[in-house]
Amino acid sequence: MNTTLEARQINTIRALAMDAVMRARSGHTGTAMALAPLAHVLFTRVLRYDAAAPEWPDRDRFILSAGHASMLVYAMAHLVGYGVTLDDIRYFRQLGSITPGHPEHGLTPGVEVTTGPLGQGFANAVGMALAERGLRSRLGADLVDHHTYVIVSDGDLMEGISHEAASLAGHQQLGRLIAVYDDNRITIDGETDLALSDDAARRFEAYGWHVADLGEAAEDIDALERALREAALVSDRPSMVIVRSHIGYPMPTAADTSAAHGAITDADEIAAAKRAMGMDPNATFVVDDDVAQAYAGAGTGGAAERRDWEARFAASGHDRAWLDALWSAGAVGGRLSELPAFEAGTQMATRVAANRVFDASLDSVPALISGGADLTGNTGTNVTAEVLTAANPAGRKLYFGVREHAMGAVANGMALHGGVLPVVGTFLVFSDYMRPAVRLAALSGAKTVFVWTHDSIGVGEDGPTHQPVEHIASLRAIPGLCVIRPADANETSQAWQIAVERDGPTALVLTRQNVPVLDGTDRDAQVARGAYVLIDTPAPAVILAGTGSEVQCCTAAAALLAADGIASSVVSMPSWDLFEAQEPEYRAAVFPGGVPVLGVEAASAMGWDRYANATVTMSRFGASAPGEDLMDHFGFTAPAIADAARALL
């Protein structure tokens, strides 16, 4: 057995993983054990960080895309001094702990992104590398000069998102992105050859990556360090380091089996593994003093570099308000003010209004980077800025190609890196292709702006495959995602202001077709309230409540009802979640008790029952026809809505 200090450090990582999983009777043991040498090399020899300042902007980024091996991160976070205690590790996977089953950004110090759904962390790493390169180009290497490291598993590389993200990274020639592929050849179902026969090295070479296949080097810490340092020197393309590891090593019977992919809770197996490592089989959660001291020294090793960086940052010639806005992904001075206002009575698609608003914000929101999934011009994300390419990394318009899922996850990585406010666009119906990334944006609080256009049957001739029906309701169901469907150009301007000034992800749901700029939607604070009375009528007999392009139908229907002597008010409801956050008195003023409400939205009725007594909504998929014909056919016209209101009364 190897009894050197570094060997004992590595074995301590393994023992902590076994002890935590054994106590929780739950968790993934094997990968954390197999990757202990790699984690040791990263945190003691390679990564540039200061554990006492986990938010230092110029730290190297480390992502465990194989999030099921979360104990690897928690063990290192404890050992190098991120503030994770042994008690935190004892309460692994327990209610209220900061050591959940998969790493969560914002919960555990040192965790850069929320991982678990495979492939997400890998794509996040691509976004972080893009952010680093762009900021280095804009600010200089004195302020931005770091690398992004990500550990990926067989499962990460099986997921389709990995293909999208790897292709984009290769095309962008993202040096300073180093992925380590843990080639342990085991999945939950069994050996990977049940479903996988890819040649990973040739695959990534075809994407334009630098590839180093280390073979059986998972226990060779010098070889691991050498490969990582060589990869970090590759500046013109991303790097993939392939390591053949043995899941569960050094367990006597579980190693190299699918059993090691789950919780190893057999006391004899754990005792035998500890004996093989020269440790007391009966001792649990033990960190020897010399091991603790060695790791503590590694955790503070970057403190001097951080202090030097802070001095350079303070002495930089950049305007401080501009720098603060850049790093916070906000507006210079803290609030957007110079945004376009649009004249009532004119016509404009809200996607077009969004494009004008984004363009107007390029100077005041220095972190803004905008782009789309081969729909940049169609979604309003085609800002008047230089294109972000390998040759021009400071560009602020990014073409993602037809890669919706990777686009969402890459954007999350850019947002969580800091210094970038990513605005990414596609059609609303294709939000389904990026939903896992959208969910993780909400879970991790990533400040990502999702622009989803062509938001209803108003898309027209493309037909039901491209006409969203259930999508708005499903997105409203995601906790922490602020969904805004503005009625016109001025509401769109307000919605963008909200997206810039709030934390967390925002969805802007926009029209393809022109809609009128409505009276009463000047740039005030109506959208921030979520819903407001657009047309206020004393003692209304009925309230017509709509969102997006259907608000215009409600205002026209109100005029028809008034001609019949029926008083009605119109409520615009751009954001249900913002409305729910208002005080009860305000909500009651918008929807006073005893007045029936008709909800109008060219989408599923799901959720409307909390506000409306009846709805004009979609109960089926759309059809292929001109958009105006479809709106007429499905009842989204002033006469049809007026008839529905009369029926309600």
Side-chain angles (χ1 to χ4, degrees):
M1 75 188 64
N2 191 339
T3 58
T4 65
L5 177 58
E6 284 195 290
R8 290 172 51 236
Q9 288 178 277
I10 292 166
N11 288 336
T12 298
I13 300 169
R14 288 171 165 150
L16 288 174
M18 287 190 290
D19 292 342
V21 172
M22 180 68 175
R23 189 180 191 280
R25 312 297 293 182
S26 171
H28 179 96
T29 317
T31 300
M33 295 178 67
L35 293 178
L38 174 61
H40 171 79
V41 169
L42 281 166
F43 280 88
T44 63
R45 300 187 180 189
V46 175
L47 290 175
R48 180 169 166 263
Y49 69 103
D50 179 6
E55 301 301 318
W56 173 30
D58 203 29
R59 68 193 180 278
D60 284 339
R61 304 310 200 265
F62 168 69
I63 296 172
L64 181 67
S65 191
H68 47 276
S70 58
M71 261 311 303
L72 188 70
V73 174
Y74 305 147
M76 296 313 304
H78 167 68
L79 293 167
V80 302
Y82 273 110
V84 175
T85 68
L86 275 180
D87 278 343
D88 293 325
I89 291 176
R90 287 188 181 95
Y91 288 97
F92 175 57
R93 286 184 161 227
Q94 303 307 301
L95 183 64
S97 77
I98 63 168
T99 52
H102 293 84
E104 296 181 31
H105 171 76
L107 178 65
T108 312
V111 171
E112 301 284 4
V113 299
T114 300
T115 58
L118 291 172
Q120 293 290 324
F122 176 66
N124 294 160
V126 173
M128 289 199 160
L130 276 168
E132 189 276 341
R133 189 183 65 180
L135 290 166
R136 180 161 32 91
S137 180
R138 297 177 73 182
L139 300 178
D142 278 351
L143 296 185
V144 181
D145 184 14
H146 55 268
H147 291 76
T148 301
Y149 297 84
V150 57
I151 296 176
V152 300
S153 63
D154 298 299
D156 284 296
L157 298 190
M158 289 186 207
E159 288 286 1
I161 188 176
S162 75
H163 296 258
E164 296 180 22
S167 175
L168 180 64
H171 175 74
Q172 284 284 340
Q173 300 173 29
L174 277 180
R176 297 176 178 243
L177 170 61
I178 299 101
V180 182
Y181 170 30
D182 172 34
D183 181 21
N184 65 34
R185 304 181 190 179
I186 295 293
T187 64
I188 293 173
D189 278 347
E191 295 184 8
T192 54
D193 62 10
L194 288 169
L196 180 71
S197 54
D198 295 2
D199 185 327
R202 292 178 64 189
R203 171 186 161 191
F204 276 82
E205 286 171 351
Y207 288 140
W209 288 53
H210 161 72
V211 177
D213 191 342
L214 305 189
E216 294 276 356
E219 299 296 314
D220 188 338
I221 56 178
D222 292 330
L224 291 170
E225 179 187 9
R226 186 164 53 249
L228 291 169
R229 291 197 180 279
E230 289 173 356
L233 294 174
V234 178
S235 61
D236 62 344
R237 50 193 166 145
S239 294
M240 172 64 78
V241 177
I242 303 173
V243 181
R244 169 77 168 107
S245 75
H246 296 273
I247 190 169
Y249 176 84
M251 288 185 169
T253 61
D256 283 328
T257 72
S258 60
H261 216 295
I264 303 298
T265 58
D266 181 272
D268 292 339
E269 186 82 3
I270 292 174
K274 287 186 175 181
R275 288 191 193 96
M277 295 187 296
M279 306 179 79
D280 181 351
N282 298 312
T284 60
F285 300 103
V286 173
V287 180
D288 292 339
D289 290 343
D290 57 345
V291 168
Q293 290 173 4
Y295 273 128
T300 58
E305 286 185 90
R306 174 182 58 81
R307 288 192 293 269
D308 288 345
W309 179 89
E310 288 172 344
R312 294 195 302 274
F313 184 85
S316 73
H318 298 286
D319 177 77
R320 190 54 189 253
W322 184 88
L323 272 179
D324 289 345
L326 179 72
W327 283 111
S328 67
V332 176
R335 181 166 175 80
L336 274 174
S337 55
E338 299 300 323
L339 288 178
F342 301 90
E343 184 180 352
T346 59
Q347 296 268 338
M348 181 180 294
T350 52
R351 61 173 176 148
V352 174
N355 181 251
R356 295 192 185 180
V357 169
F358 299 153
D359 268 345
S361 304
L362 283 168
D363 290 336
S364 56
V365 185
L368 170 61
I369 291 179
S370 178
D374 198 45
L375 294 167
T376 308
N378 304 69
T379 57
T381 53
N382 187 24
V383 293
T384 307
E386 293 184 351
V387 178
L388 192 164
T389 65
N392 184 30
R396 298 175 66 186
K397 177 164 58 179
L398 178 56
Y399 292 116
F400 286 92
V402 188
R403 301 184 180 103
E404 290 92 351
H405 195 178
M407 178 176 70
V410 167
N412 290 343
M414 297 171 83
L416 292 170
H417 176 280
V420 177
L421 176 60
V423 176
V424 293
T426 188
F427 293 171
L428 178 58
V429 76
F430 300 139
S431 64
D432 282 346
Y433 276 0
M434 56 197 303
R435 189 177 182 85
V438 176
R439 184 175 187 273
L440 286 178
L443 183 58
S444 61
K447 191 172 178 177
T448 305
V449 180
F450 300 101
V451 177
W452 290 311
T453 67
H454 297 57
D455 65 350
S456 73
I457 57 173
V459 169
E461 290 88 344
D462 276 340
T465 62
H466 283 52
Q467 293 167 7
V469 173
E470 73 279 19
H471 298 72
I472 297 174
S474 71
L475 292 165
R476 286 173 178 149
I478 299 177
L481 176 66
C482 181
V483 180
I484 308 177
R485 187 176 184 232
D488 68 357
N490 283 326
E491 282 196 7
T492 303
S493 186
Q494 292 182 53
W496 169 241
Q497 182 164 334
I498 292 164
V500 172
E501 295 175 3
R502 72 182 296 272
D503 294 325
T506 304
L508 304 181
V509 181
L510 308 175
T511 68
R512 175 200 186 195
Q513 71 274 25
N514 285 339
V515 292
V517 178
L518 302 169
D519 284 327
T521 59
D522 55 2
R523 287 200 61 246
D524 201 348
Q526 301 111 317
V527 175
R529 291 282 201 157
Y532 64 97
V533 179
L534 176 65
I535 297 177
D536 193 5
T537 302
V542 65
I543 295 172
L544 309 179
T547 80
S549 54
E550 288 73 71
V551 175
Q552 62 169 316
C553 303
C554 293
T555 62
L560 293 179
L561 292 172
D564 287 346
I566 301 173
S568 64
S569 293
V570 174
V571 170
S572 177
M573 297 190 69
S575 179
W576 291 11
D577 48 299
L578 290 177
F579 182 63
E580 289 296 323
Q582 303 305 307
E583 61 275 11
E585 294 79 9
Y586 177 79
R587 298 200 304 271
V590 173
F591 292 118
V595 182
V597 176
L598 180 69
V600 183
E601 188 170 51
S604 167
M606 185 174 292
W608 272 103
D609 56 342
R610 77 180 74 171
Y611 307 116
N613 304 95
T615 65
V616 177
T617 49
M618 291 291 294
S619 59
R620 50 155 286 184
F621 293 119
S624 179
E628 290 185 3
D629 293 349
L630 291 173
M631 287 296 191
D632 181 71
H633 176 74
F634 287 106
F636 297 100
T637 63
I641 293 167
D643 285 344
R646 294 186 188 96
L648 176 60
L649 292 174

